[in-house]
């Protein structure tokens, strides 16, 4: 779990970023995928309207009926009237669940209808598609709906019916394009269409991420990201500076000390590289230590696993973590640290039961380890177990009263509980708690960052902006803070130019900040710059640190791409900023 972004399971190994919705508040829409979700609460169901064929079933007199006026002579019906009569007969069969007969009638209506009456003809095709749908003739549904849409490009019923048929045929891309058009035409007001859009976006994202992630090139995060990750641990032996007994022979000779370590240790070299921020060499040096069965095998396994997690290779990290956890003879803090990291990995993989099991085991074997309670507290926040989270943060603070991170995150947990419970008194107490934390720990950037998020929720934008400035003063190379400050400008002042400038600054500081690219992409979607949005999402995808995060980013990218196709085919565009 991360020091700087504690409430979102989509970041690096324990370094997830805050939920964008919380960071910017409800008024700003962020990305096509989010639009489907955030507008869903306004939707109204129209299922009954979409299931039935169109047109009244009653205008045509029943067979054998007579006219009351003997002077009215029978008149020859026009081709369109004959087509309407066939359609009405088909509607009767449809309502009686006689779908084969309904199809025959709709086919007759299509054959009789003049080609220049496009509106009527499109209705007949759509009605026949509805009958085919009841018989699960999905290919025929697609064919008839396509005819209907060709005649009437903004025909919502036909587009949605074709989207559902594409879903049944596993044509996800085509389904997404159709349902995106429907969402735009309906102003994102229909629950059914938004639910289908969300469903297919998630499926597409998972499929693409599964293929991409297993073949991706490992990518080391930025030094700032790595340092932020390790700063969230206080009882992590492998992240501590070289101790006197660990120094290399060369360093000890320089100090005039007797050499204790005679062999060349890959682990000690790796530690030296950590101090130099030469992170790319750490995994290979740890491998040398493990293969030579050196003195620091357990430490080397844990350090190697940690960097595997940092580069997004959980499959390689897990065997190393498993081995350390099983080494009962090694330092208990190494085993507890391995359990924390494996538990965080499981949470990223959406395996909360396994994650909880690992954190509980860590607490059992090393009950005085503050890191266990700190990181388990973050897990509890993600699981919406806020009271349990507060208890864990309290235990962490008891063990380490100077833990500013735990105190800041405890305040966040209390605030979240009060905010979701709409309890004004508790909200006030939580806000005062943030004030106490930043007063007691004025150099804790985390305290200011979480306080800024709470202030934004409360629409105290000016003070939130001040808190982000404090963060930047303390950590000028933290790109994430610039992103949040940029989003604040959009919500507070609707200052698009300043917001984008700040997010661009974040990318300038850290060109591996996936959060910045993702945010830039979602804003470009809302501006209507879909090609630019897709470019940003693709950059974020290449930097994703977990398969789950990559799937989320693919969903955003696919949503943007679907909008470009809908704009090209039908001239439809959603509202823009």
């Amino acid at each position: 779990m991360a020091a700087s972004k504690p409430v979102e399971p989509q970041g690096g190994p324990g370094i997830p970023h805050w939920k964008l919705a919380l960071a910017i508040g409800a008024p700003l829409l962020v990305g096509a995928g989010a639009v489907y979700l955030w507008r869903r609460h306004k939707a109204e169901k129209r299922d009954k309207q979409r299931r039935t064929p169109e047109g009244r079933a009653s205008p045509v007199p029943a067979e054998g009926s007579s006219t009351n006026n003997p002077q009215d002579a029978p008149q020859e019906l026009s081709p369109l009237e004959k087509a309407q009569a066939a359609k009405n007969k088909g509607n009767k069969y449809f309502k009686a669940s006689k779908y084969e007969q309904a199809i025959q009638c709709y086919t007759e209506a299509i054959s009789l209808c003049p080609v220049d009456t496009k509106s009527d003809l499109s209705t007949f095709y759509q009605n026949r598609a509805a009958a085919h749908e009841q018989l699960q003739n999905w290919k025929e549904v697609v064919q008839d709906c396509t005819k209907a849409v060709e005649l009437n490009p903004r025909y919502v019923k036909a587009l949605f019916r074709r989207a559902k048929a594409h879903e049944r045929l596993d044509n996800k891309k085509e389904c997404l394009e159709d349902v995106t058009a429907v969402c735009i035409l309906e102003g994102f007001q229909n629950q059914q269409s938004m639910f289908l859009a969300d469903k297919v976006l998630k499926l597409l994202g998972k499929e693409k991420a599964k293929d991409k992630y297993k073949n991706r090139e490992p990518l080391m995060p930025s030094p700032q990201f790595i340092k932020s990750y390790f700063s969230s641990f206080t009882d992590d032996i492998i992240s501590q500076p070289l101790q006197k007994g660990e120094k290399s022979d060369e360093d000890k000779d320089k100090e005039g000390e007797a050499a204790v370590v005679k062999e060349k240790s890959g682990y000690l070299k790796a530690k030296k590289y950590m101090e130099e921020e030469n992170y790319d060499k750490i995994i290979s040096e740890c491998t040398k230590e493990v293969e030579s069965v050196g003195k620091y095998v357990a430490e080397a396994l844990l350090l190697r696993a940690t960097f595997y997690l940092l580069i997004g290779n959980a499959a390689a990290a897990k065997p190393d973590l498993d081995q350390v956890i099983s080494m009962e003879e090694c330092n208990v803090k190494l085993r507890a640290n391995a359990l924390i990291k494996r538990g965080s990995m499981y949470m990223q993989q959406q395996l909360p039961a396994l994650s909880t099991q690992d954190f509980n085991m860590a607490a059992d074997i090393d009950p005085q380890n503050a890191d266990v309670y700190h990181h388990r507290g973050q897990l509890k926040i993600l699981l919406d177990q806020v009271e349990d989270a507060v208890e864990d943060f309290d235990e962490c603070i008891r063990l380490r009263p100077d833990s500013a991170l735990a105190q800041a995150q405890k305040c966040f947990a209390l605030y979240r509980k009060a905010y979701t419970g709409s309890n004004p008194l508790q909200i006030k107490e939580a806000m005062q708690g943030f004030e106490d934390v930043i007063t007691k720990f004025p150099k804790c950037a985390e305290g200011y960052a979480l306080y800024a998020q709470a202030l934004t929720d409360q629409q105290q934008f000016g003070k939130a902006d001040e808190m982000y400035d404090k963060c930047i003063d303390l950590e000028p190379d933290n790109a994430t803070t610039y992103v949040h400050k940029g989003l604040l400008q959009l919500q507070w002042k609707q200052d698009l130019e300043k917001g984008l400038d700040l997010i661009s600054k974040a990318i300038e500081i850290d060109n591996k900040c996936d959060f910045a690219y993702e945010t830039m992409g979602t804003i470009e979607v809302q501006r209507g710059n879909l090609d630019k949005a897709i470019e940003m999402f693709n950059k974020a995808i290449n930097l994703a640190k977990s398969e789950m995060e990559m799937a989320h980013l693919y969903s955003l990218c696919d949503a943007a791409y679907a909008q470009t196709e809908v704009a090209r085919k039908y001239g439809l565009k959603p509202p823009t900023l």
Side-chain angles (χ1 to χ4, degrees):
M1 301 279 167
S4 59
K5 293 166 278 184
V7 298
E8 175 69 35
Q10 295 176 344
I15 315 185
H17 55 254
W18 296 336
K19 287 185 178 179
L20 195 55
L22 289 176
I24 67 175
L28 177 67
L29 303 180
V30 288
V35 168
Y36 295 137
L37 294 174
W38 295 351
R39 295 187 179 180
R40 186 180 300 164
H41 70 282
K42 300 179 180 179
E44 298 177 356
K45 294 184 178 179
R46 301 176 185 177
D47 183 48
K48 182 179 179 181
Q49 183 181 7
R50 282 176 166 159
R51 285 180 180 271
T52 56
E54 294 189 49
R56 297 173 61 188
S58 58
V60 178
E63 292 183 12
S65 64
S66 62
T67 175
N68 293 328
N69 190 346
Q71 295 180 350
D72 290 339
Q75 297 181 359
E76 180 70 21
L77 296 176
S78 70
L80 179 58
E81 289 172 329
K82 291 179 181 179
Q84 291 284 3
K87 177 205 71 175
N88 291 339
K89 189 175 180 181
N91 287 356
K92 287 183 177 181
Y93 281 127
F94 188 99
K95 290 181 179 180
S97 300
K98 298 179 179 181
Y99 302 116
E100 294 285 3
Q101 292 94 320
I103 289 170
Q104 292 176 6
C105 291
Y106 295 139
T107 301
E108 182 183 355
I110 291 167
S111 66
L112 292 170
C113 185
V115 294
D116 58 342
T117 57
K118 293 184 178 181
S119 177
D120 294 286
L121 191 54
S122 66
T123 299
F124 303 156
Y125 276 113
Q126 197 283 143
N127 283 10
R128 191 169 71 177
H132 279 302
E133 182 181 49
Q134 295 300 316
L135 297 173
Q136 299 187 13
N137 299 331
W138 305 117
K139 290 183 179 180
E140 287 78 4
V141 173
V142 169
Q143 290 169 0
D144 279 352
C145 286
T146 298
K147 288 286 189 181
V149 171
E150 287 173 355
L151 293 162
N152 180 3
R154 300 194 174 195
Y155 199 166
V156 170
K157 277 191 177 181
L159 284 165
F160 189 66
R161 181 158 279 119
R162 188 170 68 177
K164 293 186 292 181
H166 277 311
E167 181 194 15
R168 293 288 191 144
L169 293 169
D170 201 31
N171 300 331
K172 297 183 184 66
K173 178 177 175 292
E174 293 80 2
C175 174
L176 179 60
E177 289 179 12
D178 281 347
V179 77
T180 297
V182 171
C183 287
I184 295 172
L185 286 167
E186 293 180 326
F188 299 92
Q189 295 296 302
N190 189 284
Q191 183 174 350
Q192 269 193 305
S193 53
M194 287 188 291
F195 180 83
L196 179 57
D198 180 47
K199 178 182 177 182
V200 73
L201 278 169
K202 288 179 178 177
L203 290 172
L204 275 170
K206 287 180 180 179
E207 281 184 5
K208 292 184 177 181
K210 185 176 182 180
D211 291 336
K212 171 84 171 179
Y213 196 77
K214 66 183 179 183
N215 297 315
R216 68 193 287 271
E217 287 293 326
L219 181 66
M220 191 66 66
S222 66
Q224 191 280 330
F225 186 99
I226 294 171
K227 286 185 286 186
S228 176
Y229 173 68
F230 280 112
S231 72
S232 67
F233 295 92
T234 56
D235 283 328
D236 184 359
I237 294 173
I238 63 169
S239 65
Q240 302 303 317
L242 283 168
Q243 303 300 311
K244 185 175 180 180
E246 291 182 330
K247 290 183 181 283
S248 65
D249 295 342
E250 182 180 352
D251 289 338
K252 290 181 178 180
D253 289 341
K254 288 179 182 178
E255 297 171 7
E257 300 175 357
V260 175
V261 183
K262 295 182 180 180
E263 70 276 16
K264 292 182 178 180
S265 169
Y267 170 70
L268 297 184
K269 287 183 180 180
K271 291 267 288 197
K272 189 70 174 176
Y273 286 136
M274 274 193 70
E275 291 183 358
E276 298 169 354
E277 298 184 13
N278 193 355
Y279 300 120
D280 290 323
K281 295 183 179 181
I282 289 175
I283 290 176
S284 60
E285 290 300 333
C286 288
T287 300
K288 291 177 184 178
E289 181 77 18
V290 173
E291 291 177 347
S292 65
V293 195
K295 180 179 178 181
Y296 301 100
V297 170
E299 290 87 345
L301 285 167
L302 182 55
L303 184 57
R304 184 171 70 175
T306 301
F307 273 86
Y308 276 140
L309 290 172
L310 283 166
I311 64 174
N313 192 349
K318 187 177 181 300
D320 285 355
L321 294 171
D322 292 346
Q323 189 171 344
V324 174
I325 291 165
S326 68
M327 297 171 70
E328 296 186 3
E329 72 283 359
C330 79
N331 190 318
V332 70
K333 296 209 175 293
L334 292 175
R335 296 178 63 212
N337 188 267
L339 282 163
I340 291 170
K341 289 170 180 172
R342 192 175 71 177
S344 297
M345 179 192 74
Y346 282 143
M347 194 60 200
Q348 286 187 343
Q349 296 171 343
Q350 297 182 302
L351 300 170
L354 292 176
S355 180
T356 300
Q357 181 178 302
D358 273 359
F359 279 108
N360 292 345
M361 181 177 175
D364 288 340
I365 68 171
D366 193 8
Q368 301 303 308
N369 189 326
D371 288 343
V372 174
Y373 305 101
H374 177 196
H375 289 267
R376 189 171 69 178
Q378 294 183 57
L379 167 69
K380 298 297 185 183
I381 289 178
L382 292 171
L383 296 175
D384 287 325
Q385 299 171 8
V386 180
E387 291 184 3
D388 291 341
V390 171
E391 288 183 11
D392 275 338
F393 290 135
D394 279 336
E395 182 63 14
C396 176
I397 293 166
R398 184 188 71 79
L399 294 168
R400 285 192 177 273
D402 60 343
S403 176
L405 293 178
Q407 299 208 31
Q409 289 169 357
K410 175 187 173 181
C411 285
F412 177 81
L414 290 170
Y415 170 75
R416 178 167 176 171
K417 178 183 177 182
Y419 183 72
T420 55
S422 301
N423 189 317
L425 179 60
Q426 290 182 358
I427 289 175
K428 185 177 179 180
E429 291 174 352
M431 300 300 273
Q432 183 57 50
F434 282 120
E435 288 284 352
D436 295 340
V437 168
I438 63 176
T439 300
K440 186 176 181 180
F441 303 101
K443 294 187 177 181
C444 176
E446 179 83 345
Y448 295 108
L450 291 175
Y451 192 18
Q453 180 179 345
L455 288 165
T456 302
D457 287 341
Q458 298 302 309
Q459 298 189 4
Q460 297 181 37
F461 301 126
K463 193 166 184 178
D465 197 45
E466 292 175 12
M467 295 301 105
Y468 284 131
D469 285 339
K470 292 281 190 182
C471 291
I472 291 171
D473 289 341
L474 291 167
E475 296 182 350
D477 60 345
N478 190 330
T480 302
T481 306
Y482 286 92
V483 178
H484 287 305
K485 183 176 170 67
L487 288 168
L488 177 63
Q489 307 311 307
L490 294 174
Q491 183 176 354
W492 177 21
K493 299 180 179 179
Q494 292 76 53
D495 192 338
L496 186 61
E497 183 177 352
K498 186 174 181 181
L500 291 174
D501 284 346
L502 285 163
I503 298 169
S504 297
K505 176 69 173 176
I507 294 172
E508 181 184 327
I509 291 171
D510 181 5
N511 64 3
K512 295 180 180 179
C513 181
D514 55 329
F515 181 42
Y517 291 115
E518 176 188 349
T519 306
M520 184 76 81
T522 56
I523 293 172
E524 294 295 353
V525 166
Q526 291 306 303
R527 294 178 74 195
N529 299 332
L530 298 175
D531 290 337
K532 180 69 172 177
I534 291 168
E535 178 189 346
M536 293 295 103
F537 289 138
N538 279 324
K539 287 185 177 182
I541 286 167
N542 291 329
L543 295 167
K545 300 172 187 69
S546 70
E547 187 174 325
M548 184 176 70
E549 181 182 358
M550 186 177 284
H552 162 71
L553 291 166
Y554 266 122
S555 294
L556 294 178
C557 190
D558 287 337
Y561 179 77
Q563 289 191 36
T564 65
E565 290 299 290
V566 167
R568 181 180 63 82
K569 291 179 180 179
Y570 309 115
L572 295 173
K573 292 184 179 181
T576 58
L577 288 174

